[in-house]
Structure formats: C-alpha cells, structure tokens
Amino acid sequence: MLSPRPCVRLGPLTTLGVGGDASFVVDATDEANVLAAFRWAKERGLPVRVLGGGSNVVVADGGFDGLVVRMLTRGRTFTASDGELVLTAAAGEPWDELVAEAVRREAQGLECLSGIPGLTGATPIQNVGAYGQEVAETITSVRVLERDTLATRVLDAAACRFAYRDSFFKSEAPERYVVLGVTFRLRLRAVPSVRYGELAQKLASDGGEPTLARVRELVLALRRGKSMVLDANDENGRSCGSFFVNPVVTSERALAVEALAGEAHMPRYPQPDGSVKLAAGWLIERAGFTKGTRRGAVGLSTKHALAIVAHEGARAADVVAFAREIQRTVREELGVELTPEPVFWGI
Ligand code: EPU
C-alpha cells in the first residue's frame, strides 16, 4: 500500500540542505512503488519530481507543490565473460558503493569516479565525470520508465546522446523518462585509466603499481582535499559540488579571456572539435571571488571556487542570488557565460 507522507521538508533530503516542503514524498524501494507513485499522482493531478541522492539539486524556499518520489530501488548483477564485466544496477544503488565493488572485482572503467555522492540512476542524466573519466565511456544501456505511458524501455548508449555533463535526458527531453537502471561494461584486469595530471603525478611519485585500488584511494584523497567527498564534519560539506559547468568557447575567445584575466597559463582543455574548455573555478577566482568568499550565510568553498556552500541559516534565495552575482561578474570581467550545473526545483 503506497502511503506518501504529506508536508516533508526537502532541504534535509539534499546535500545543499536548503529549500521548502514538498506536498508529498514517497520512498520508492521497488519499481512497483515507482509505478504506483506515478499513478497516485496522476489520479490527483499532481506533478512528480524524482529525487536520488539529492547531491545535484537546489530546491526553492517555496518547496515543491507535488509528489517527490525518492528512488531507493536496490539490486545489482555482475556477469563476467571474455575479459569484461557487465554490471547492471538499480537506480537507487549508492554510486560510490558500486564503484568500490567494481574496483574490488578488478573491473576497470569507474575507478576515477570514486567518492562522487549520489545514486547510480543520476549518473547518465548529466554524464557524471571526474578525473578524466565519465560514465558515457562505460554505459551500454539505460532502462527507463516513460512518464506518459508508464511503459519501460531500454535505451542504448547512442540514444542517450552523451556529451560533457549532458545527455538526451538532461537537455532534450528532461521530463520524458525516469531512470530505473543502468548497465555498464567494464574491462577486467585492465590497467587503470589515468588522464588527469594531478592523479598521474601522484601515482608516479608513489612508485608502486598503478592498480585500480590505488587509483581509487588517490582519487578519494584528492576529492577530500577539495571538500568534494560528503562529510558531515567538513565546513564546506553543504554544497552540490560544482555549481557551474566548465564553459566551452572558441579558441579565439579563450585567448581573449586569458588577456582579460591578465594572467598567462590559464588552464585550458582543447576539445577534439577545436573548441576549448575553460576551468570555471579559475575564472571565478580571477573575477575576484577567492575561495571562501562569503555573502552572509552562503559562500564559496574554502577549497574550491566552483562549489557554493550553504552555511547555517542559508536560504535557497541566498544561494541563487550569489550564483547570479558570480555569473554577472564573470560575464562583465571576462566575457564568459557560466551555466549552472545543478538542477533547480521551483527557481
Ligand atoms: N581551479 C582554480 N580555482 C579553483 C578551482 C579550480 O583555479 O578554485 C583550477 C585548477 O587549478 C585547475 C582547473 O581549475 O587548473 C580545474 O580544476 P579541477 O581539476 O578541480 O576541476 P574542475 O574542472 O573545477 C571538474 C568537475 C568536477 C570534478 C573535477 C575533477 C565540472 C563542472 N566539474 O571540476 O565535478 O570532480 O573536475 O575531475 O566538470 C561536479 O560536477 O559536481 C564535480 C565536482
């Protein structure tokens, strides 16, 4: 029997910890619950939002007038053959536990994605990536529920249209599907993929074997150093990770930005199509927002200028006002438009 709870505060269900109430919240621990929840909302004419780990969402102070379905479905299967491990996980599987298990099974492909908060079902939506790896490299298919028809479908990787922090689910049809499960193809006993400079240096200076387990440990240490691992005792803990995506600009624009910043050696990542990805955190600092900059109860992380932190008493409106101030200043000072990375509910 489905029993949605009325008037539930959404802040505590997100890592940023701000925002008002949902009219109803239901914990969906199996797929039958997910379907029942959508039917329940349809009968009452209520809109539905799906919440995973809440690590990439900013909820408005006014909350959400509808039903929030918390995806808490569990279950994983592992099938090994021909040097590969095919791994299928339910949307509600905690992401880092899945990465840890893949590493334990010596399956390569997810190790650099260690320590990322949230649940597995969220990873295809924005093509989660870190330290030179992204889920698009290993996802083979995504099982979804079509909201309109409540039919399930399986989309192959091509249909997901993955790009940098983007997919079909995020930008082309944001309300069409709910992710139910994700299948990854990993390589067994392969050498770790190390493309990120700081990580490669650490591994080399270690002198030891570059095993998957070692890469995982180093990634976790790097993330902790930047307050990018969930930790209740961390002063930068209440955030939703990177608040903006790294902007991709033409090579001419990149040179102009460097000149405006008045500093050589601007971090830049040339893309295969000739465009250049810039580091949003670096731009934010050059626009005058040093790490730890405060605006009342909100501020930048003291470890990473790309994360906005909500301190005691912060409201969603404070977070949004600060984010807008950063966007405006970076636009005026450096001529670059920053696009927010989290999902906004009711803002
Ligand atoms: N930088 C600064 N100041 C800062 C932060 C960064 O100058 O405060 C410079 C760094 O020195 C470096 C460059 O910016 O040269 C890039 O920084 P970093 O390697 O920390 O990565 P990022 O581009 O800021 C991205 C992802 C993170 C991911 C890291 C590590 C995006 C939007 N963010 O950040 O993902 O963990 O790379 O691979 O792509 C997230 O999406 O929520 C997230 C945390």
Side-chain angles (χ1 to χ4, degrees):
M1 192 38 207
L2 194 78
S3 48
R5 287 170 284 139
C7 300
V8 177
R9 275 177 67 209
L10 288 172
L13 303 183
T14 72
T15 57
L16 190 63
V18 300
D21 292 358
S23 319
F24 298 95
V25 170
V26 69
D27 289 348
T29 49
D30 61 34
E31 289 185 9
N33 279 164
V34 178
L35 275 165
F38 273 89
R39 288 204 186 96
W40 188 92
K42 205 171 206 165
E43 282 159 15
R44 288 159 182 80
L46 289 172
V48 181
R49 289 269 160 89
V50 176
L51 189 65
S55 54
N56 202 46
V57 55
V58 183
V59 179
D61 296 311
F64 172 61
D65 191 9
L67 173 67
V68 171
V69 179
R70 290 181 78 207
M71 267 296 188
L72 301 176
T73 56
R74 301 295 295 260
R76 355 184 254 208
T77 61
F78 300 87
T79 316
S81 69
D82 293 336
E84 288 179 350
L85 183 73
V86 174
L87 152 55
T88 297
E93 282 289 329
W95 174 251
D96 194 50
E97 290 178 22
L98 198 68
V99 174
E101 184 59 20
V103 167
R104 202 185 63 74
R105 289 173 185 250
E106 290 185 50
Q108 188 273 334
L110 305 179
E111 60 282 357
C112 296
L113 306 176
S114 294
I116 293 179
L119 307 180
T120 303
T123 62
I125 296 183
Q126 62 150 334
N127 181 17
V128 161
Y131 304 107
Q133 215 169 50
E134 52 185 28
V135 290
E137 295 163 33
T138 45
I139 288 180
T140 54
S141 65
V142 180
R143 204 161 58 81
V144 295
L145 176 71
E146 191 166 32
R147 283 173 174 244
D148 277 355
T149 59
L150 296 187
T152 52
R153 291 180 56 180
V154 175
L155 304 184
D156 64 15
C160 296
R161 306 241 186 96
F162 291 122
Y164 165 62
R165 286 297 190 281
D166 198 15
S167 74
F168 177 83
F169 310 110
K170 180 173 167 183
S171 49
E172 289 182 55
E175 290 296 317
R176 192 178 307 172
Y177 299 121
V178 175
V179 174
L180 295 174
V182 188
T183 299
F184 302 85
R185 188 190 292 135
L186 309 176
R187 293 189 298 155
L188 284 170
R189 288 169 290 279
V191 286
S193 122
V194 180
R195 297 179 212 138
Y196 183 85
E198 221 176 326
L199 192 60
Q201 280 160 21
K202 285 223 158 139
L203 260 185
S205 66
D206 246 23
E209 281 283 295
T211 59
L212 297 174
R214 190 76 197 111
V215 171
R216 173 168 166 79
E217 268 173 41
L218 288 176
V219 166
L220 286 172
L222 266 176
R223 292 190 71 94
R224 275 196 203 97
K226 296 181 187 184
S227 293
M228 292 272 183
V229 174
L230 281 187
D231 176 355
N233 300 317
D234 187 332
E235 57 165 346
N236 298 306
R238 273 180 59 189
S239 87
C240 46
S242 299
F243 205 91
F244 300 100
V245 294
N246 286 328
V248 179
V249 300
T250 62
S251 53
E252 294 80 20
R253 165 63 60 187
L255 287 174
V257 174
E258 190 172 54
L260 284 169
E263 223 178 295
H265 312 300
M266 172 177 75
R268 73 186 72 209
Y269 312 95
Q271 302 299 296
D273 65 358
S275 61
V276 182
K277 195 196 277 176
L278 305 180
W282 189 91
L283 298 172
I284 290 169
E285 288 202 280
R286 273 32 183 209
F289 301 93
T290 50
K291 296 184 186 82
T293 298
R294 287 287 288 259
R295 292 287 181 272
V298 299
L300 293 184
S301 161
T302 57
K303 304 274 182 54
H304 201 291
L306 197 45
I308 294 182
V309 176
H311 299 278
E312 191 54 39
R315 296 169 309 138
D318 305 323
V319 173
V320 171
F322 188 37
R324 292 207 171 116
E325 182 193 341
I326 292 170
Q327 282 177 303
R328 190 175 58 247
T329 312
V330 170
R331 185 187 309 125
E332 285 169 6
E333 301 283 324
L334 301 170
V336 180
E337 199 57 50
L338 291 183
T339 306
E341 197 238 37
V343 176
F344 293 87
W345 286 13
I347 291 161

